[in-house]
Amino acid sequence: MDQALFEFCLRMGDNTLVLGHRVSEWCGHAPVLEEDIALANTALDLIGQTQLWLGLAGEVEGAGRDADALAFRRDAWDFRSVLLVEQPNGDFGQTILRQYLFDQYQALMLAELVASSDARVSAIAQKAAKEVAYHLDRSRDTVVGLGDGTDESHTRMQAALDRLYPFVGELFGEDDLDREVAARGIAPLPASLRAAYDAALAATMDEATLALPDSRWSQSGGRDGTRHSEHLGHLLTEMQWLQRAYPDARW
Amino acid sequence: MVAQPSTDEIWAVLARVPDPEIPAISLTDLGIIRDIAWEGETLAVTVTPTYSGCPATSLINFEIETALREAGIERIDLRRQLAPPWTTDWLSQEGRAKLEAYGIAPPTAARGPEKCPRCGSTHVERISQFGSTPCKAQWRCKECREPFDYFKCI
């Protein structure tokens, strides 16, 4: 089995799965109907991309696990999602800021993955890149609108940025797995995306009149599964409940 | 044994299958049927999804299979093709006209509707980047005050 490719697909698919589930928690709770629909649609795209990434992971593994088995039958320590995406929704501003921090990274990553040496990875990236570009348009605009909005919205957005920025560094982590997939031309080293990310973030926050925290110190432990936050377990409890209670249940 | 229908005839069969979420247009209008080919006794139909999470995808596959069986084709191999990814450039001219007649503004490169599909006014504003299905956004006409769907351009 190609362990590196398998784990790489888990990192991509677990990020979209966990974020997709988080965003779906807004369904029926958003501030206005249009935002409710937008969040549900974003979640749907992310879950769709999850099916592609985890589907490929299952194919690479060759052990008969499909995307559903990987999503619903693994426990927290087998997840390879970054800590950023498992953070709770907080208020609407925090949800949108988390989305922007992720979308900006994902757009840069997918743009590179289009040229992956693995044709399957490239095909998924080409598909997902279009959807993520659309998400990024919206999350960026909304961050700017709320940051440069009322005193109340500005204060909330700044608080969200202060809270979430310490999870950004993990997106650019590097370990043996990253080095192997980079050497094989499957994916770029995440660190190689950092300069473009920082430039985009600085421009957005400037427009949003928000101040990026001085410290670049970052939490880590999600993408290698060594130290997820407690939030992931709670999320999985809810997301996996049906398949855990009634294995192989189907509509 | 019945003679195999030609691929042209099969394209015509699929041109009559409506999209399950926007029944005003057909699957071929939507541009998601990428290829139809006979491989011996088996008909290979290559389909590309509009959006990766579109819930209509499995229903679309079911509708394709049903239509082909009704046309007497027994061995069908439905294939999913992701790349090149679907683009609204693949909507047929006929499909664009049908969308507009149905009240959905067709996609434009300008990333917004050209005019209101009801009254034709060009004074339109965006309500939301998303809509009732993954492929649509919500807009409003400032003249006739009616909200309407816009087919997102991707």
Side-chain angles (χ1 to χ4, degrees):
Chain A
M1 198 247 293
D2 186 339
Q3 187 70 29
L5 181 56
F6 172 69
E7 295 248 352
F8 171 74
C9 291
L10 289 186
R11 284 181 174 178
M12 296 301 294
D14 287 346
N15 278 349
T16 52
L17 174 63
V18 173
L19 185 59
H21 184 82
R22 271 286 183 243
V23 176
S24 79
E25 291 171 358
W26 275 101
C27 196
H29 299 278
V32 290
L33 183 59
E34 286 76 13
E35 287 306 329
D36 206 286
I37 290 169
L39 287 163
N41 268 285
T42 303
L44 187 65
D45 285 341
L46 290 166
I47 302 293
Q49 292 162 18
T50 303
Q51 284 176 331
L52 301 176
W53 289 118
L54 294 188
L56 178 54
E59 187 184 315
V60 170
E61 186 189 37
R65 289 200 285 183
D66 61 7
D68 282 343
L70 288 166
F72 296 125
R73 305 280 185 88
R74 281 179 303 148
D75 216 329
W77 49 79
D78 289 327
F79 272 73
R80 296 291 178 266
S81 41
V82 291
L83 298 173
L84 175 68
V85 295
E86 66 200 45
Q87 297 310 302
N89 286 336
D91 59 19
F92 178 76
Q94 187 175 315
T95 293
I96 286 295
L97 188 74
R98 184 188 58 200
Q99 189 71 37
Y100 170 68
L101 295 174
F102 180 78
D103 289 344
Q104 188 69 69
Y105 167 81
Q106 191 76 342
L108 293 167
M109 175 55 103
L110 291 172
E112 293 293 319
L113 291 181
V114 165
S116 174
S117 59
D118 187 296
R120 297 165 298 181
V121 170
S122 169
I124 297 173
Q126 290 174 56
K127 184 81 203 152
K130 291 182 156 212
E131 295 165 359
V132 170
Y134 204 82
H135 297 172
L136 177 58
D137 268 358
R138 172 175 172 274
S139 61
R140 188 183 185 285
D141 277 359
T142 314
V143 164
V144 169
L146 290 173
D148 188 20
T150 63
D151 286 346
E152 172 79 10
S153 71
H154 175 84
T155 305
R156 284 176 180 248
M157 292 308 279
Q158 186 62 55
L161 183 58
D162 293 344
R163 186 185 183 293
L164 293 175
Y165 193 68
F167 296 99
V168 164
E170 192 194 10
L171 292 164
F172 305 96
E174 180 174 328
D175 57 17
D176 286 346
L177 174 67
D178 295 306
R179 285 185 282 272
E180 183 182 339
V181 292
R184 291 167 56 193
I186 294 170
L189 273 180
S192 70
L193 308 172
R194 183 89 205 226
Y197 184 86
D198 283 346
L201 214 59
T204 302
M205 295 313 158
D206 188 49
E207 215 179 313
T209 69
L210 297 172
L212 277 170
D214 291 333
S215 170
R216 281 162 69 102
W217 178 83
S218 181
Q219 300 275 5
S220 63
R223 67 197 297 274
D224 58 10
T226 52
R227 202 173 61 243
H228 278 288
S229 67
E230 65 170 301
H231 304 300
L232 182 64
H234 291 284
L235 182 149
L236 295 183
T237 303
E238 186 173 317
M239 187 183 82
Q240 297 180 333
W241 176 81
L242 193 112
Q243 282 294 329
R244 297 287 193 182
Y246 304 97
D248 300 323
R250 297 205 163 269
W251 287 110
Chain B
M1 198 190 123
V2 189
Q4 282 181 350
S6 71
T7 49
D8 281 350
E9 287 168 306
I10 294 161
W11 277 104
V13 168
L14 294 183
R16 289 192 294 273
V17 180
D19 173 78
E21 282 184 339
I22 309 171
I25 59 170
S26 74
L27 298 184
T28 54
D29 286 331
L30 193 57
I32 57 169
I33 311 290
R34 301 314 300 156
D35 192 40
I36 295 173
W38 282 105
E39 293 175 1
E41 303 278 295
T42 302
L43 182 72
V45 179
T46 307
V47 186
T48 196
T50 51
Y51 286 80
S52 59
C54 184
T57 306
S58 56
L59 184 58
I60 285 172
N61 285 346
F62 177 77
E63 303 278 2
I64 292 171
E65 206 164 329
T66 306
L68 294 177
R69 289 204 190 287
E70 279 170 6
I73 299 157
E74 283 168 12
R75 289 203 200 165
I76 303 158
D77 184 11
L78 280 183
R79 292 172 190 170
R80 182 187 72 183
Q81 181 181 303
L82 289 180
W86 179 76
T87 156
T88 37
D89 293 345
W90 293 346
L91 272 173
S92 67
Q93 281 306 315
E94 206 186 331
R96 296 173 60 89
K98 286 183 199 166
L99 278 178
E100 193 154 21
Y102 187 64
I104 301 172
T108 68
R111 294 184 158 252
E114 203 175 272
K115 57 186 195 301
C116 167
R118 295 178 197 279
C119 75
S121 165
T122 53
H123 295 120
V124 292
E125 63 181 350
R126 190 178 73 195
I127 301 174
S128 172
Q129 279 142 299
F130 291 88
S132 57
T133 66
C135 57
K136 289 179 290 184
Q138 296 172 79
W139 283 65
R140 175 166 41 218
C141 176
K142 292 199 267 190
E143 295 290 333
C144 71
R145 306 301 298 162
E146 286 290 330
F148 62 89
D149 279 329
Y150 163 64
F151 207 95
K152 282 151 56 172
C153 181
I154 69 163

